[in-house]
Amino acid sequence: MTDHSSPTGIFLLAYGTPESLDDVEPYFTHIRGGRKPSPEAVEHLRERYRLVGGRTPLKDLTFAVADRVQARFDAEAPGRYRVYVGMKHWHPFIAETVPRIAADGVQDVVALVLAPHYSRMSIGGYRKYLDEANAALEQPLRVTFIERWHDYPGFRQLIADRIVAARAELPPDLRDEALVLFSAHSLPERILSWNDPYPDELRESAAGIAALLGLTNWRLCYQSAGMTGEPWLGPDILDYLEELHSEGVRAVISVPFGFVADHLEVLWDIDREAQEKAAELGMTLRRIRMPNADDEFVDVLAALLRDVLEKRL
């Protein structure tokens, strides 16, 4: 039985990000499951962080989202819900936060990863860390884990609105012809042997957003593939820009809808690498504004969480 006198926990999960250049090596090591990366690989990643200012705002944005979700729920039911943050690969780690949730007297938790599309490798990894930390408690929490929310109408409308805003920033002569290019983090091709739903969810998600705008001129690609020596899902955005250029495309609206915040995969992979590739090809590229901690995004998350919480009553 759930004790309804105790608060219900809302657990927001994010990837994590190093807070300084000194943190890059241990952060990278954690991503690799404890296997230490080569000094060259560490320096390569560290240089990317240095070039975007030494750190990204991902942690700050995640906590800002949590604070604003908390405020939304406090306005409706003061003291009934308590919002927490846990990170997959950096502090506060999921395993650090779970005992604190239990210590606060919370018994019931809804967990939401701040990434819309499901893959066993990505979202499943969050679930694994959470389940392990929960199993270590003397009295485990009752957890409802939201595996996917790419099809939530509010999220799709938010991205559609951001596309409209990005199109308006293009020179007038390019607005009508600009191609909308959706992208998400690549994963190793071996996920296909698991019948992983990730590629299908991305296609379905992109098509659903495009339908809201009546778009026919759109494509889907991948970005941010790891350097692991095995094949990763493609086409990669940098290669795809070359293909689009060969087709005569002059302008692209970049929609990295697999992410919801400004972090390295956006600030470097899109804003630096993709922008430089587009400029080299003589193409114009405009990226949508990321959801970050904007009120419109917080409203979507709060509505999604309310729907899930109501179904559990």
Side-chain angles (χ1 to χ4, degrees), residues 110-127:
V110 171
L112 174 67
V113 180
L114 295 177
H117 308 89
Y118 178 83
S119 168
R120 193 178 98 191
M121 180 172 284
S122 57
I123 305 303
Y126 288 90
R127 183 66 182 264

Side-chain angles (χ1 to χ4, degrees), residues 97-177:
T97 307
V98 168
R100 184 161 67 85
I101 296 173
D104 286 345
V106 172
Q107 300 173 357
D108 238 356
V109 171
V110 171
L112 174 67
V113 180
L114 295 177
H117 308 89
Y118 178 83
S119 168
R120 193 178 98 191
M121 180 172 284
S122 57
I123 305 303
Y126 288 90
R127 183 66 182 264
K128 178 175 179 288
Y129 283 124
L130 176 53
D131 287 348
E132 289 173 351
N134 196 29
L137 297 176
E138 184 175 337
Q139 183 175 348
L141 306 168
R142 177 178 171 238
V143 176
T144 298
F145 191 96
I146 301 172
E147 289 192 333
R148 52 175 58 77
W149 47 279
H150 67 89
D151 54 351
Y152 194 70
F155 172 69
R156 290 190 175 180
Q157 187 61 56
L158 172 64
I159 301 301
D161 291 344
R162 297 289 164 105
I163 293 171
V164 171
R167 188 183 296 278
E169 295 173 0
L170 287 168
D173 63 316
L174 295 177
R175 287 175 192 164
D176 291 341
E177 69 175 77

Side-chain angles (χ1 to χ4, degrees), residues 81 91 95 194 226 244:
Y81 301 96
H91 304 283
W194 310 340
L244 294 174

Side-chain angles (χ1 to χ4, degrees):
M1 290 289 291
T2 299
D3 179 3
H4 290 288
S5 65
S6 66
T8 296
I10 294 172
F11 197 11
L12 301 181
L13 309 177
Y15 196 80
T17 183
E19 296 174 64
S20 72
L21 296 179
D22 290 340
D23 294 333
V24 170
E25 183 173 358
Y27 165 75
F28 198 178
T29 301
H30 193 273
I31 290 173
R32 289 167 51 85
R35 293 175 292 109
K36 200 168 182 178
S38 69
E40 295 78 16
V42 171
E43 187 52 40
H44 180 71
L45 184 58
R46 186 181 285 126
E47 179 67 3
R48 291 186 171 198
Y49 277 101
R50 187 186 69 77
L51 290 170
V52 298
R55 66 189 296 270
T56 74
L58 176 63
K59 181 177 178 180
D60 299 338
L61 290 168
T62 304
F63 273 91
V65 168
D67 289 344
R68 291 170 188 176
V69 169
Q70 183 74 69
R72 298 290 197 283
F73 280 92
D74 282 347
E76 299 170 8
R80 182 71 187 87
Y81 301 96
R82 194 168 295 177
V83 182
Y84 299 88
V85 168
M87 302 285 183
K88 190 178 188 182
H89 293 301
W90 199 245
H91 304 283
F93 287 109
I94 293 168
E96 295 172 341
T97 307
V98 168
R100 184 161 67 85
I101 296 173
D104 286 345
V106 172
Q107 300 173 357
D108 238 356
V109 171
V110 171
L112 174 67
V113 180
L114 295 177
H117 308 89
Y118 178 83
S119 168
R120 193 178 98 191
M121 180 172 284
S122 57
I123 305 303
Y126 288 90
R127 183 66 182 264
K128 178 175 179 288
Y129 283 124
L130 176 53
D131 287 348
E132 289 173 351
N134 196 29
L137 297 176
E138 184 175 337
Q139 183 175 348
L141 306 168
R142 177 178 171 238
V143 176
T144 298
F145 191 96
I146 301 172
E147 289 192 333
R148 52 175 58 77
W149 47 279
H150 67 89
D151 54 351
Y152 194 70
F155 172 69
R156 290 190 175 180
Q157 187 61 56
L158 172 64
I159 301 301
D161 291 344
R162 297 289 164 105
I163 293 171
V164 171
R167 188 183 296 278
E169 295 173 0
L170 287 168
D173 63 316
L174 295 177
R175 287 175 192 164
D176 291 341
E177 69 175 77
L179 181 139
V180 174
L181 185 58
F182 295 92
S183 64
H185 204 302
S186 184
L187 292 174
E189 282 186 4
R190 57 189 158 92
I191 71 165
L192 301 178
S193 67
W194 310 340
N195 292 319
D196 195 283
Y198 186 63
D200 288 339
E201 286 196 5
L202 292 174
R203 284 189 288 270
E204 177 191 333
S205 182
I209 294 165
L212 290 174
L213 298 173
L215 291 178
T216 55
N217 195 21
W218 65 272
R219 309 279 181 88
L220 171 66
C221 66
Y222 293 89
Q223 62 170 93
S224 313
M227 306 296 289
T228 61
E230 64 178 313
W232 284 58
L233 297 173
D236 180 81
I237 188 169
L238 300 181
D239 299 328
Y240 206 45
L241 285 172
E242 292 191 2
E243 182 174 329
L244 294 174
H245 176 257
S246 71
E247 294 177 13
V249 173
R250 297 194 301 156
V252 167
I253 298 172
S254 169
V255 185
F257 74 147
F259 312 96
V260 297
D262 290 325
H263 50 73
L264 196 66
E265 285 80 359
V266 174
L267 299 176
W268 177 264
D269 297 356
I270 299 296
D271 292 357
R272 293 291 292 266
E273 288 191 324
Q275 279 286 8
E276 288 176 3
K277 173 60 73 171
E280 173 191 317
L281 296 168
M283 300 169 70
T284 298
L285 185 148
R286 290 288 182 276
R287 172 176 63 79
I288 65 165
R289 194 171 87 252
M290 301 306 290
N292 288 329
D294 294 355
D295 283 338
E296 302 95 322
F297 182 50
V298 175
D299 288 342
V300 168
L301 294 180
L304 169 64
L305 288 161
R306 269 188 226 103
D307 288 350
V308 173
L309 287 162
E310 287 173 5
K311 289 175 184 175
R312 295 167 73 248
L313 295 177

